Amino acid sequence: MDTSRYKGIYLQEAKAHLSDIESGLLSLERDPSGKETLDSLFRHYHSIKGMSASMGYTPIMRLAHAEEDLLDKLREGKLGLTEAMTSALLKCLDVKRELVGKVENNEPLDISIDPFIDELTAASKAGPSQAHPGPAAANLPGIPPAHAGGLRLSNVMRVEGRVFDELLATVGDLFMVLSSFKALTLESRSIELKDGVHMLGKTVGSLHGSILSARMLPIEDLAAGIPRIIRDLTAGSGKEVSLYTEGMDISLDRAILEGLSSPLVHIIRNAIDHGIEPASERIANGKLSIGSIRVRAHARKDRAVIEVSDDGRGIRKEALRKKAAERGVPLEKTAAMPDKELLKLVCLPGLSTAGKVSETSGRGVGMDVVKDAIEGLGGTLDIESEEGRGTKVILELPRTTLITKALIVGIGPERFLIPISRIEKVIEADTGAEDVFSYEGASVPIVSLAPLFGLPERDGRSHTLVLVDGSPVLGQNGESPLAALRVDGFGAEIDAYVKPLLPPISKLWGASGMTMMVDGSPVFLLDVQQLISRSLERAI
Amino acid sequence: MPPKRVLIADDTEFFRTALKDILSRAGYEVVGEASNGAEAIELAMTLRPDLVILDVVMPAKNGLEAARAISALNLPLKIVMCTSLGYEPIVEEAVKAGASGYIIKPPSESKVLAALKAL
């Protein structure tokens, strides 16, 4: 190749590539995974390499070759960009500039480039975390640390999620063992045994607490993906949606958060597909052209409430009644239903998946699936909607999983567990056959559990009333949220390692989980909301 | 033999010029130059060359994508890939994509002419 003829073109193009490389590297520092930047940087290095090889400018070619290699690994995702890489690449850039200057001035290319290539190699070998060039013998006696920090391990460890599942299951077993020791202390007079078991209980409790908190993740970790979902769903739809979030720092057990993922996407998809109107329709209705979706979370005792609301069309209740009628729910019944209960019908299987409901009701694709998933997590789902104004889906979920403080209650020959988080007070009362109980000036409905489970009611007038928080079934419009569960008697408060109900009993009515007692007998954890709603014939 | 009409695609003017010089000296007519893959496809359609020389690493569709797209047009033309040392595996893919030959950079007169003669 007659190089003299091409030197002018080489210089002109090489300089342009070098300045593009500089701006590329800087923008890469702001966005290390920018695919387009990585691709174009790769091409610039590749071009310089090829041109320099053709011209016989070996040092520039070798540098560009090493840089091209690194960029190739970065764009393939085999390496993650580190600060050490960027600074090595910037140093190489400066050397190349110097070399190109020498080409221009017809000077020999007498710069040793090996140290720069070595630094590049070291930076790419140090891996995606922090790059420390060379081994640092920081803590050996007599050898000064290579640099200020020496070798340091991060305070944050990566642990597989299942390790925490196993830890928690082990603590569950510990609780069961503890329960049998506790039973022993009741019969024993040994102060040492009682003290020992007490201490053991405190230690297991604090171990449990540590594991639970290690499993917690902020909702933010899940919500971070929502903007992208919104972007994808609105693309080309003529709709524009802004997302507002609040309380995303509330943390939930990882398993629950994971289970929340697909219901949440489903709810947001419904909001965009069926709730938010196209911009033109919104403007015609006097709304802002950009729709909004709000995801708000707050903690309620040991549960988290997550609300997803949109300012779209809302659910057309007349259409919903008509659809429900087609599915066998008579119009007379739905006409008398309060809104809250009517909206629940969106979650009826079959109705919600019916082709046209999404258009007429403005919602409802697979809401039965969403409801099942949320209930499977021990949570509840509520819908509020106003035609023309929007829809709000309210999810209430336990924040932690599996180990629940619960009270043992007896109904006839059977034992059940009531979650302590729901209990306000336990009262022995002579209520006879009354169906309301007066408590602190409020009239509290009595829910007798025996008939609900088809168990014989004990004779006699004296019963135990367990006052429980019945929200959100109760407590609307200023009424008391309390209900009184009537049982025959109560026993100890235990830490129950509650296992979710799996097939074939996954749909057991009135229960949300089960645990094994020390004697090996299974006991069900009662689903308080479901019981109240069934008994008082109110929608959950 | 009438001079063959050639389209050159490379993202550097440096290599386009080098190729053009070699081809012109050998009696080929360079009818167009493209600086990226997308442009190459467009020019292949409008200029109807007999021969397209495609660089592999290019922005806006690389040489391989361009080769596939141009082959799919079913035009009476041949495709030759022009690639750097170390990119030989891509040549195999390029053949599948419809290329009939390749040149390893830098494009010397003897290499280019030998590759074109073998078509």
Side-chain angles (χ1 to χ4, degrees):
Chain A
M1 199 166 182
D2 172 18
T3 55
S4 57
R5 176 171 150 67
Y6 302 104
K7 192 170 155 185
I9 306 174
Y10 173 87
L11 285 172
Q12 185 200 330
E13 284 205 299
K15 284 180 189 167
H17 283 302
L18 292 178
S19 84
D20 285 347
I21 286 173
E22 181 161 46
S23 56
L25 288 176
L26 297 178
S27 85
L28 204 57
E29 247 183 338
R30 288 190 298 273
D31 175 19
S33 55
K35 176 88 178 87
E36 277 184 32
T37 314
L38 286 170
D39 279 343
S40 91
L41 274 172
F42 173 83
R43 284 194 304 269
H44 290 307
Y45 286 124
H46 181 81
S47 296
I48 290 183
K49 182 188 82 170
M51 293 194 302
S52 304
S54 305
M55 296 294 288
Y57 303 147
T58 312
I60 306 177
M61 184 271 284
R62 283 186 57 217
L63 273 169
H65 184 64
E67 293 165 303
E68 183 196 10
D69 258 5
L70 174 57
L71 259 294
D72 196 30
K73 284 174 186 144
L74 287 172
R75 68 178 191 157
E76 299 284 351
K78 287 176 187 153
L79 285 176
L81 186 76
T82 63
E83 218 187 303
M85 290 178 194
T86 318
S87 62
L89 286 168
L90 284 168
K91 278 184 203 163
C92 288
L93 173 69
D94 292 341
V95 183
K96 280 201 302 294
R97 279 216 169 105
E98 217 178 315
L99 287 165
V100 169
K102 282 179 182 282
V103 168
E104 192 162 19
N105 299 326
N106 297 313
E107 289 169 21
L109 306 180
D110 54 359
I111 299 174
S112 166
I113 54 153
D114 287 340
F116 297 100
I117 292 183
D118 289 350
E119 187 175 340
L120 212 54
T121 315
S124 31
K125 282 202 174 120
S129 61
Q130 268 201 317
H132 296 289
N139 295 322
L140 291 181
I143 301 174
H147 53 271
L151 288 175
R152 281 192 11 226
L153 285 173
S154 160
N155 286 329
V156 180
M157 272 172 70
R158 295 170 74 98
V159 180
E160 261 187 87
R162 67 165 179 83
V163 174
F164 287 107
D165 293 345
E166 285 164 15
L167 277 173
L168 199 59
T170 310
V171 173
D173 294 344
L174 270 179
F175 273 115
M176 283 297 122
V177 175
L178 183 64
S179 299
S180 49
F181 274 111
K182 275 184 179 162
L184 279 180
T185 61
L186 296 176
E187 294 149 19
S188 165
R189 293 185 174 191
S190 161
I191 297 295
E192 287 84 356
L193 180 66
K194 285 178 200 277
D195 279 355
V197 171
H198 179 68
M199 282 308 295
L200 181 64
K202 279 181 78 167
T203 311
V204 174
S206 92
L207 177 63
H208 175 227
S210 306
I211 294 173
L212 282 189
S213 66
R215 289 172 57 96
M216 302 291 261
L217 289 175
I219 299 175
E220 176 63 43
D221 284 16
L222 201 62
I226 299 178
R228 176 65 202 275
I229 289 169
I230 291 182
R231 197 184 140 271
D232 289 353
L233 288 172
T234 49
S237 68
K239 299 177 184 182
E240 260 194 276
V241 177
S242 296
L243 173 73
Y244 303 90
T245 57
E246 198 181 315
M248 294 298 105
D249 54 334
I250 305 269
S251 55
L252 268 77
D253 186 276
R254 190 180 169 281
I256 295 173
L257 214 51
E258 207 168 25
L260 181 63
S261 157
S262 98
L264 195 60
V265 171
H266 221 119
I267 292 167
I268 287 169
R269 177 177 303 147
N270 275 345
I272 293 173
D273 284 355
H274 311 298
I276 306 279
E277 315 87 330
S280 51
E281 186 182 331
R282 290 180 64 88
I283 294 167
N285 290 330
K287 288 182 174 180
L288 288 175
S289 65
I290 301 175
S292 69
I293 291 181
R294 284 167 208 276
V295 181
R296 293 180 56 230
H298 62 270
R300 182 186 286 166
K301 288 188 182 172
D302 61 349
R303 295 170 77 81
V305 179
I306 301 168
E307 299 176 351
V308 183
S309 51
D310 65 64
D311 66 347
R313 320 187 157 97
I315 297 174
R316 285 171 54 199
K317 289 167 187 122
E318 265 328 296
L320 184 60
R321 285 193 181 95
K322 247 169 80 184
K323 279 285 159 189
E326 286 169 21
R327 300 277 148 178
V329 186
L331 273 175
E332 310 85 74
K333 196 173 173 194
T334 50
M337 274 184 184
D339 281 358
K340 196 174 156 62
E341 199 175 336
L342 180 72
L343 289 169
K344 286 274 171 191
L345 295 178
V346 166
C347 297
L348 273 184
L351 184 134
S352 53
T353 48
K356 275 194 170 166
V357 171
S358 51
E359 291 155 35
T360 50
S361 71
R363 185 151 302 251
V365 179
M367 279 303 282
D368 56 325
V369 180
V370 173
K371 184 167 179 278
D372 281 354
I374 295 298
E375 286 176 356
L377 296 169
T380 58
L381 182 148
D382 253 301
I383 300 170
E384 290 171 9
S385 186
E386 208 178 318
E387 279 186 50
R389 300 290 298 274
T391 301
K392 186 195 271 186
V393 179
I394 304 156
L395 310 175
E396 191 183 318
L397 291 154
R399 294 179 63 195
T400 58
T401 179
L402 301 172
I403 293 179
T404 309
K405 282 192 178 300
L407 181 74
I408 300 177
V409 297
I411 306 168
E414 299 292 333
R415 286 181 295 176
F416 293 91
L417 295 172
I418 297 175
I420 293 287
S421 63
R422 284 273 169 194
I423 298 178
E424 288 290 324
K425 201 168 187 156
V426 180
I427 300 167
E428 295 281 350
D430 187 2
T431 55
E434 289 151 37
D435 55 9
V436 283
F437 174 72
S438 181
Y439 176 71
E440 289 184 347
S443 179
V444 176
I446 294 175
V447 175
S448 191
L449 294 190
L452 286 177
F453 288 106
L455 293 165
E457 270 207 279
R458 204 185 58 177
D459 292 338
R461 297 174 60 85
S462 175
H463 287 277
T464 298
L465 294 182
V466 183
L467 293 182
V468 292
D469 178 1
S471 59
V473 184
L474 302 175
Q476 303 292 323
N477 312 320
E479 68 173 348
S480 162
L482 294 180
L485 304 182
R486 182 157 67 198
V487 296
D488 294 341
F490 68 98
E493 179 188 320
I494 64 163
D495 291 299
Y497 175 46
V498 177
K499 295 178 179 144
L501 296 174
L502 298 170
I505 50 168
S506 51
K507 271 288 185 182
L508 195 67
W509 181 81
S512 59
M514 64 169 292
T515 190
M516 289 291 179
M517 300 301 278
V518 190
D519 60 7
S521 58
V523 174
F524 291 104
L525 183 75
L526 296 180
D527 184 335
V528 170
Q529 289 192 328
Q530 208 175 29
L531 292 170
I532 295 171
S533 113
R534 168 71 69 97
S535 168
L536 304 177
E537 291 190 348
R538 296 220 193 163
I540 292 180
Chain B
M1 186 183 78
K4 282 204 170 183
R5 297 159 40 83
V6 187
L7 167 65
I8 299 172
D10 195 301
D11 59 340
T12 57
E13 194 197 337
F14 179 85
F15 281 120
R16 288 197 305 270
T17 310
L19 273 173
K20 197 160 72 177
D21 286 351
I22 295 168
L23 292 167
S24 308
R25 275 199 299 272
Y28 289 84
E29 186 195 352
V30 176
V31 291
E33 293 178 46
S35 61
N36 63 55
E39 214 179 300
I41 300 167
E42 206 180 305
L43 290 181
M45 278 193 282
T46 52
L47 299 175
R48 301 297 171 107
D50 305 308
L51 180 67
V52 181
I53 300 180
L54 290 171
D55 178 26
V56 172
V57 180
M58 285 190 293
K61 289 206 194 306
N62 63 39
L64 216 52
E65 292 166 325
R68 272 192 210 105
I70 293 173
S71 307
L73 296 172
N74 272 324
L75 298 172
L77 56 74
K78 294 224 190 286
I79 298 170
V80 170
M81 305 304 290
C82 188
T83 177
S84 309
L85 207 63
Y87 280 76
E88 289 86 337
I90 290 181
V91 170
E92 222 177 278
E93 260 193 80
V95 171
K96 277 187 217 152
S100 322
Y102 68 96
I103 301 163
I104 299 285
K105 283 182 185 176
S108 71
E109 187 146 356
S110 57
K111 276 195 279 187
V112 173
L113 297 182
L116 298 190
K117 209 176 158 190
L119 289 177

